Amino acid sequence: MATNGSQQIFGVDEVLQAMLTMRGGDSEKKKRAHEYLESFQKSATAWSATITILQSNAEVDVKLFAATTLRGKITYDLSTQVPAPEIPAVRTQLLSLLKQYAPGPKPIRVQLCVCLAILAIQMQEWKDVLPVVVSSLGDENHACILDFLRVLPEEVTEGRKITLTDEELTLRTTELLEHNAPQVVQLLINYAHSSEAAATNPQLFECITSWLREVPVNEIVKSPLLNIVFSALENDSSFQAAAECISTMVRETREIDDNIETIQILLPRVIALQPKIQKVVEEEDVESYKSLTKLFSEAGSAWAVAIAREGTPFRPLVDAVLECTARDKDRDVIEFTFDFWYDLKQYLVLEKYIESRMQLLDVYAKLVDILLKHLEYPEPESNNEKDLFDGDREAEEKFREFRHLMGDTLKDCCEIMGVTECLTKVLNGIKVWMQKYASLANGALVPHWQQLEAPLFSMRAMGRMVTSEENTVLPQLMPLLVQMPAHEKLRFATIMVLGRYTEWTAAHPEFLSPQFNYIVSSFDTDSKEIVRAAAMAIKYFCTDCRNLLSEQVVQLQQFYDQILDKLPQVSQEEITEGVATVVSVQPKEEIYKLLKLFCDPLVQRLMAKANNATDNDGKLLVADHLQLITFFAQGVVVLPPVERGQEDPAVKYWQEVFPILSKVLVNFLDFPPICERVCRCWRFMVISHRGAMAPILPEMANQLATGFATSKQGCFLWVTGAILREFSDDREHVGQDMTEHIYEFFEAQATNVLRFLSELSPQDLPDVTEDFFRLVVDGLLYYPQKFIPSGIFPPVFEAALSVLVLEQREPLSATLHYLRDVLGWGTAYAPTSYDHLSSTVTDQLRTIVKQLLATQGETLVKRLLAGMMITFPKDCFADASGALLTLFEIFPEQTATWVDKTLRLLPERTVTPVEIDRLMMKVKEKLSTNDTGDVRQIRSILQDFTNTYRRRYIAPRDGLGALEGSRFRFDG
C-alpha cells in the first residue's frame, strides 16, 4: 500500500514539476502527475516537503496544495508516521506557519487553522489550546484567530475521522469546546467592541454561528452579542453573515418548551425586520432578499408548534413569510418558504390546534392566490410562443422545477383550507379568464393563455388530495375542461388533469365519455408532447375505469391497433399496459378470445420485425416490441385461479405463443437485449400465473438451460430463480415430482455457471456473477434441505469468496446477501421461514454449514476485512460487517483469532501493532460478557476501525500481498 510510494522520489522540485504538469494539456502526463501527487500525499516525505513549500516563494495554488496535504497528514498519518515525542514540534511549526499566513491568502490560512484544530484534537495532553493559540498569534491577527475559532467546533464534530476512541473523543470534545465556551464568548464580545469595523466583520458572525452549536443559545442571546448581530443587519457587508447567525440561533430554539425565554427575546427582534423586505426588493438586492427570507422561514419552521399553540403573537412572523412569497416576482426566494408552509401545516391539521387553523385560513387562502400567480408561464418579450423564456434554458428548467415544488405547497393548502375551497379558486380562475378572453380566442391563438394554464396545473397538483366524494366543484369544472381552446400548452395541461382525476371519474361515470373522447381525439394532433400525455392518460383511464370500459373492449382493440404504430415506444408501452388492464377484468370465459384479439396482431408484428431485423436498430425494435407482449403476459391473469386439473385460458393462449417466442430467442441468442426481453416475459408469466404454468415449464426449462449454455447471459438465471420461487416444496399446488425436477434443473444451471466462472474471472462478467448469486439465494431460501447437503454447496461458497475481490456494488451486494444467508444457517436458530422442516433436518443443515465455515472462515474474514478496508463500495459495508458479526456469533474465539491474524497481514506502517492490540482487546472484552448486545457492538467497533484505515490509506488496488484474492477453480 505504502510500498508503491516508497520506491519514488518525493523531492520538492519533483512535486513542483508535477504540479506544473497538472496545468498542461497532455492528459496522459496529467494522469501520471495526479497519481504521483496522490502517492506523495501518503508518503512520510510529505511532512517536510509541504512545510518547505509553505515557507518558499511558490505560487499560491502550489502552497494551497501543500497546506491541504498537510491537513491530510495530520488527520490520517500523525500516529503512524510521527513519533510521539516529535508531535509538539509539529505544533510549533504549525503556529509559526499560521503567524506567517495570518495576513493571507485566506484559503491557505483557513487550511492551516484546520490543521491546528485537528492536531489539537489528537494532542490529548495539550490542555491550554485557546490561550496558546491566541498568545502565539498576537492581538494584531484577529482574522486568523477568528478563523481558528470558527473551524475548531466543526473539526471536533467531524472527529470520527481521527483515530481516537469514542471515550477519548468525548473527553476531548468537553475539554476543547465546553470548557472553552465562556472564554470564546468573552473573546468575541471584546473583539466586537474593539472597533466599528470589528462589529460588522462577517468573520465574527461566522464564528458565533459555529459556536452556537456548542454554547447554549440563551447565553448568546442574553449577551451583548445579540445587539451586535442584529445591528449588523444595517450594514450591507455583514447582512448575510448576520442573518445566517440569527437563523442558527433560531434553529437552536426548536425545542420550544426548553427555550421559551429565549424565544420571547428573539421573536420581537425578528418580527421587527419585516419592513426590510420591501427595502431589499425595491433595491433589487437579491442576496439580502434570500437571506431575509431564509431567516423568516427558519424562524417559522423552528417555532411552528408555538405558532399552532398561541397563534396571535406569532401572526406577524407568518405574515412576513407570506410577504416574502408575494413579492418574489422572479421566483428567487420562494423555494426557501416551502418547508415552513409544510412544517406549519403538519401541526395545524391536528385537532387540538383547530383554533389556530381557523385563524390562519386567510393566510393559506392568500398563499393559494400567490402560488397561482407564480405558476403562470411568462409572457415572452419577443412574443415568440415557441420560446417563452427568450432562450434562457436555465430559467426554464428552474421554472419547471419550482412548479412541482409549488404544487406540493398547494397540497398543504388543501389540507388546511379543504379541497373544495382550493378547487373553487381554480374554478374562479378559469371563469375569470373565460369572461375576459374566451371570445377573443381563435383556434390556437389564445390571448393570455398563461392565466388559464396556471389554474389547470394547480388542479393537477391538487389531484392527490381530491377524493372520489367531491361533488361540489368538480362537476362544474369537468365540463369546462373538455372545452379548452386548442392551444398546445392548454391541451397538454387538460390531458394531464383528466389523467390525474381518473379515480374520481370512475366514481362519476357520466363524465367518462366526453373525457375519454377528448383524450382519443388528442392523438390526431401534431404535438409529440400531447400524444405522449394522451397515451399516459389512456393508461390511467384504462386502469381506474377498467370496469366501465368493459363494454367497449372490442372498440378499444380497434383503436389500439390503429394507433399503436404511430406512437413512440414509451407511449406504446403505456397504452398497452392500460388496455391489458381492461382485458384483465373481463369474464374468465372471454380471456382466451380477448388475448387472441389483442395479442395475435402483436405477435404478427413481432414475427415481421424479427424477419426484417438485419442490423442492431432492427433487433432493438424486436426487443422493444417484446415488451408489449409482456404487459399482457404479466397483467391478464385469471383470478381466482382455476381449479386443479382445469385449463387456464390465459396459459392456454401463452402455450400457443411460446414456440414463437422460443424461435425468436434461438434466432437472436447473440443479441442480449432480445434475450433479456424474452426472459423477462417468461419470468412474469411464471410469477403471474404461478402453478397454472406447469404445462409450459418443461419446454421453458429446456430453453433456459440451452440458452445459458450457449450465450452465458444472466437473464436465463432470472427465470430460473422465478421458477424456484413459485414451485418450491412448501407450495400447496406443487407435487413432489415437480419439485424434484425443478431442483435438478436449478442444480444443473448452477453447475453450468460454476464451470463458466472457473474459466473466466468474476471481473470479466460481473452481471452474470450478480444474477448467479441472486439465483443461489433463491436456491438456499426455497430448497435448503436439498441445496445445503449437495455437492455444489461448497464450490458455490468458494465462488462467493472469489467474488469478494470485486469493486462493483451489484455483484458484491448479491454475493454478500448469499453469504449472510448461508451464515444464518450456522447460528443457533434456523431462519424462521423454515418452520416446515423438522428440527432433525435443520440440525443436520446447521452442522454442514458450520463444518464449511470451520474450513473457510479464515478466508472469509480476510476477504471481508480487505473489502471493508480497501475495495468495497460504501453500500456494501453494512452487509460485510453483518456477515462478520454473524461469524462472531457462530465461532466467537476462532473469528477473533482470524481477525487478529488478518490485521497483522496489513503492510507495515499502515497500521501499528498497538492499534491492532487495542482493537482486539475491545473485541475480546465484548465477547467475554456473553451478552448479545455487547457482541453486536463488535460490528460497530470493526466498522470504525476499517473506516479509519480506509480514510488513512487510499492506494492502488494491487500489491496487497497476503490480502490479495485467489482465483476460483471448479472441477465438477
Side-chain angles (χ1 to χ4, degrees), residues 372 375 410 423 426 430 453-464 466 474 477-478 481 497-498 500-501:
L372 282 172
L375 284 170
L410 278 170
L423 285 175
V426 171
I430 293 173
E453 193 274 346
L456 291 174
F457 182 90
S458 70
M459 184 180 174
R460 171 186 161 196
M462 296 174 196
R464 186 166 59 84
V466 182
L474 285 180
L477 267 171
M478 289 302 179
L481 294 183
V497 169
L498 294 176
R500 191 69 187 79
Y501 282 79

Side-chain angles (χ1 to χ4, degrees), residues 724 727-731 734-748 750-751 776 778-796 818 825 834 836-837 841-842 844-846 848-849:
L724 276 183
F727 293 87
S728 58
D729 272 346
D730 60 339
R731 299 285 191 188
V734 182
Q736 185 64 37
D737 289 346
M738 173 76 79
T739 61
E740 287 294 337
H741 290 311
I742 299 265
Y743 178 75
E744 287 169 9
F745 167 54
F746 158 71
E747 195 166 300
T751 303
V776 290
D778 286 334
L780 187 63
L781 180 61
Y782 296 105
Y783 287 88
Q785 74 282 14
K786 292 183 173 70
F787 182 29
I788 292 176
S790 72
I792 65 166
F793 186 62
V796 169
Y818 171 69
W825 276 99
Y834 303 105
H836 62 288
L837 299 179
V841 172
T842 55
Q844 290 171 348
L845 299 180
R846 183 179 303 111
I848 295 170
V849 170

Side-chain angles (χ1 to χ4, degrees), residues 353-372:
Y353 298 130
I354 181 71
E355 187 177 338
S356 292
R357 180 159 85 242
M358 300 309 294
Q359 290 174 4
L360 292 171
L361 275 178
D362 65 311
V363 172
Y364 277 88
K366 291 173 187 173
L367 180 60
V368 173
D369 295 333
I370 292 166
L371 292 175
L372 282 172

Side-chain angles (χ1 to χ4, degrees), residues 448-664:
H448 303 291
W449 59 266
Q450 292 90 339
Q451 296 175 28
L452 183 55
E453 193 274 346
L456 291 174
F457 182 90
S458 70
M459 184 180 174
R460 171 186 161 196
M462 296 174 196
R464 186 166 59 84
M465 309 304 299
V466 182
T467 67
S468 301
E469 288 75 41
E470 207 294 314
N471 292 315
T472 306
V473 183
L474 285 180
Q476 300 176 64
L477 267 171
M478 289 302 179
L480 296 177
L481 294 183
V482 295
Q483 300 173 40
M484 285 292 144
H487 188 280
E488 181 180 1
K489 293 282 188 192
L490 295 176
R491 194 172 192 98
F492 176 82
T494 302
I495 291 169
M496 296 301 282
V497 169
L498 294 176
R500 191 69 187 79
Y501 282 79
T502 49
E503 289 183 24
W504 184 88
T505 302
H508 299 78
E510 66 272 22
F511 293 97
L512 173 61
S513 181
Q515 291 182 25
F516 198 77
N517 291 338
Y518 183 89
I519 302 294
V520 169
S521 68
S522 299
F523 285 99
D524 296 330
T525 64
D526 295 329
S527 168
K528 293 179 180 178
E529 195 173 34
I530 286 178
V531 168
R532 285 196 295 268
M536 187 186 299
I538 288 287
K539 181 180 83 169
Y540 292 132
F541 270 99
C542 288
T543 300
D544 293 326
C545 305
R546 54 189 179 274
N547 293 309
L548 297 177
L549 291 169
S550 292
E551 295 178 6
Q552 289 87 35
V553 68
V554 175
Q555 296 94 312
L556 184 62
Q557 190 279 330
Q558 293 168 353
F559 162 71
Y560 173 67
D561 195 47
Q562 290 169 6
I563 201 71
L564 188 66
D565 294 330
K566 302 175 185 177
L567 301 176
Q569 179 62 29
V570 171
S571 297
Q572 286 186 13
E573 292 178 11
E574 286 177 333
I575 201 168
T576 301
E577 185 180 353
V579 297
T581 306
V582 176
V583 173
S584 72
V585 298
Q586 303 312 304
K588 181 170 63 175
E589 55 273 12
E590 297 292 318
I591 291 292
Y592 173 77
K593 183 176 68 176
L594 288 173
L595 278 174
K596 283 191 71 67
L597 180 67
F598 277 86
C599 294
D600 276 0
L602 293 179
V603 174
Q604 290 162 10
R605 284 181 173 93
L606 175 68
M607 291 189 290
K609 290 175 188 289
N611 290 333
N612 295 326
T614 55
D615 57 13
N616 271 8
D617 288 343
K619 293 175 184 178
L620 285 171
L621 289 175
V622 175
D624 287 341
H625 194 73
L626 281 161
Q627 186 77 349
L628 307 185
I629 295 173
T630 301
F631 281 117
F632 283 96
Q634 178 184 3
V636 182
V637 181
V638 175
L639 292 174
V642 296
E643 295 294 325
R644 183 177 293 188
Q646 290 186 355
E647 187 176 49
D648 184 300
V651 173
K652 176 186 176 183
Y653 178 76
W654 296 120
Q655 272 185 280
E656 295 175 5
V657 173
F658 192 84
I660 298 170
L661 296 177
S662 298
K663 180 75 171 174
V664 171

Side-chain angles (χ1 to χ4, degrees), residues 149-223:
L149 290 176
R150 177 178 61 81
V151 303
L152 183 60
E154 296 167 3
E155 294 307 316
V156 172
T157 305
E158 291 293 315
R160 293 193 70 79
K161 290 181 182 177
I162 295 165
T163 54
L164 297 181
T165 66
D166 288 344
E167 296 79 11
E168 289 169 340
L169 186 57
T170 300
L171 177 62
R172 203 64 183 134
T173 301
T174 301
E175 292 174 347
L176 291 174
L177 300 183
E178 290 180 33
H179 292 174
N180 280 323
Q183 296 96 295
V184 170
V185 172
Q186 194 55 52
L187 265 173
L188 297 177
I189 292 171
N190 293 344
Y191 171 71
H193 287 153
S194 65
S195 69
E196 191 175 321
T200 55
N201 182 357
Q203 275 187 287
L204 169 66
F205 308 113
E206 290 167 2
C207 196
I208 297 171
T209 299
S210 183
W211 278 84
L212 268 165
R213 299 177 184 91
E214 314 305 329
V215 179
V217 65
N218 64 313
E219 291 185 17
I220 300 291
V221 168
K222 291 179 179 178
S223 78

